[in-house]
Amino acid sequence: MSLLEVNHVKKVYKTRMGGDEVTALKDVHFTVEKGEFVAIMGESGSGKTTLLNILAGLDSPTNGRVLIDGKDYTTLKDNDKAMFRRENLGFIFQDFNLLDNFSLEDNIKLPLVLGGENHAKMNDRVIPIAKTLGIDSILKKYPYEVSGGQKQRTAVARAIITRPHILLADEPTGALDSKSSTNLLKLLRKINKEGQTILMVTHSNVAASYADRVMFIRDGKVFNQIYRGDISREEMLDKICDSVSVLMRGDDESEQ
Ligand SMILES: Nc1ncnc2c1ncn2[C@@H]1O[C@H](COP(=O)(O)OP(=O)(O)O)[C@@H](O)[C@H]1O
Ligand SMILES: [Mg+2]
């Protein structure tokens, strides 16, 4: 059984009272195994965020199912869904969404607080993660007192503190300069090597080249997938660039 099964997911948005419909996803079908690092690419408007929101349980599919560990949690009641989400999923958002009035430590602990974890246990979890991420000496600081890179590490810590089965990231490098991006991507790769399953939406070829598999979404479907296998990151990047240019060529043809 795969860790994540996305079964023929379709998403139609109804805009304005019974007006136009937008088919964001037509028929998305794929599986992710435990320990994989998968990047999802596609043009702007191809449905990447829609897909991630459905996987995150923040939106529901019009058709199809999403199974995590064999369980279709999209049909759970709100409270159960929230609990399932907390226990199984971690999120990294594009702008990190740290709470300004909370210290870094409290930001990291937030998912545990929401999960009703006791204080001693929380500290047992925060310290080792903060050490791994190199932010253990600044835990008492507030987001406005630290650098962008430190904020980003805090967001990663918060996303993995619950030991989620899957880490979901939507354009995590979108707002970062290239040095911070590289650091974040190396960090994701390190966490992945330690066993964390990661699904990352990105429009950056370079960011995607850190993954083991890159999935391209087009016309509401999985259009193409590239597996890294034994090749280097640089070779993976070349392959991704080739696929992206094929995608673009497809566009030219359809416009003629
Ligand atoms: N809440 C919504 N209501 C109506 N249309 C939406 C909504 N969210 C997204 N869309 C439409 O669905 C399509 C896919 O959007 P999105 O998933 O944000 O794409 P991406 O993240 O790949 O840029 C777009 O055409 C977008 O306008
Ligand atoms: Mg998006």
Side-chain angles (χ1 to χ4, degrees):
M1 185 174 65
S2 302
L3 176 58
L4 173 69
E5 283 183 43
V6 178
N7 274 325
H8 299 293
V9 164
K10 178 177 183 178
K11 179 69 185 180
V12 179
Y13 287 112
K14 296 212 183 341
T15 50
R16 292 171 307 220
M17 312 283 275
D20 300 347
E21 289 186 345
V22 177
T23 303
L25 302 171
K26 249 186 221 159
D27 183 13
V28 174
H29 194 75
F30 64 92
T31 57
V32 174
E33 304 304 321
K34 190 174 174 343
E36 276 197 285
F37 183 176
V38 181
I40 299 174
M41 298 190 80
E43 306 244 293
S44 177
S46 60
K48 304 182 296 296
T49 295
T50 301
L51 176 61
L52 214 66
N53 285 344
I54 290 174
L55 301 184
L58 301 172
D59 206 343
S60 25
T62 310
N63 267 319
R65 300 203 307 163
V66 177
L67 308 178
I68 293 179
D69 261 343
K71 190 166 179 184
D72 181 0
Y73 83 105
T74 54
T75 56
L76 294 176
K77 292 210 181 72
D78 284 354
N79 278 348
D80 295 338
K81 196 195 269 184
M83 195 197 293
F84 186 90
R85 193 188 298 143
R86 252 192 330 262
E87 286 172 359
N88 289 278
L89 302 168
F91 307 96
I92 304 176
F93 302 94
Q94 180 164 339
D95 48 9
F96 303 135
N97 284 357
L98 294 179
L99 300 176
D100 291 334
N101 299 324
F102 279 45
S103 65
L104 300 192
E105 179 169 353
D106 288 343
N107 265 288
I108 297 170
K109 281 180 180 171
L110 193 61
L112 298 179
V113 174
L114 295 173
E117 192 81 70
N118 79 45
H119 274 279
K121 271 206 184 139
M122 282 193 221
N123 288 328
D124 286 351
R125 288 227 200 156
V126 171
I127 305 299
I129 286 179
K131 277 195 178 142
T132 314
L133 299 182
I135 49 173
D136 50 314
S137 63
I138 53 165
L139 284 175
K140 301 293 176 205
K141 294 198 179 216
Y142 288 80
Y144 58 84
E145 296 177 299
V146 305
S147 71
Q150 289 165 332
K151 273 196 264 237
Q152 141 208 147
R153 282 160 183 270
T154 305
V156 174
R158 184 184 54 185
I160 60 174
I161 190 81
T162 55
R163 301 184 188 128
H165 289 158
I166 307 177
L167 178 59
L168 300 172
D170 193 1
E171 307 263 10
T173 60
L176 300 177
D177 59 57
S178 69
K179 185 164 174 278
S180 306
S181 290
T182 307
N183 286 339
L184 179 62
L185 291 162
K186 284 186 175 160
L187 185 59
L188 291 179
R189 199 144 173 80
K190 176 167 175 266
I191 297 170
N192 170 249
K193 290 283 166 250
E194 290 162 4
Q196 179 67 58
T197 310
I198 304 177
L199 219 69
M200 172 180 75
V201 163
T202 182
H203 64 254
S204 155
N205 297 354
V206 172
S209 71
Y210 282 79
D212 298 318
R213 166 157 56 125
V214 183
M215 204 159 67
F216 295 89
I217 297 200
R218 186 190 155 109
D219 299 331
K221 293 181 181 169
V222 176
F223 174 80
N224 186 19
Q225 301 201 60
I226 305 176
Y227 290 82
R228 177 199 287 271
D230 294 329
I231 64 174
S232 69
R233 195 184 66 75
E234 286 73 18
E235 289 170 300
M236 184 69 171
L237 180 56
D238 285 344
K239 276 190 158 188
I240 293 168
C241 292
D242 288 348
S243 281
V244 168
S245 61
V246 169
L247 274 176
M248 295 299 191
R249 252 201 322 274
D251 267 357
D252 291 347
E253 278 160 15
S254 62
E255 277 165 15
Q256 279 165 10

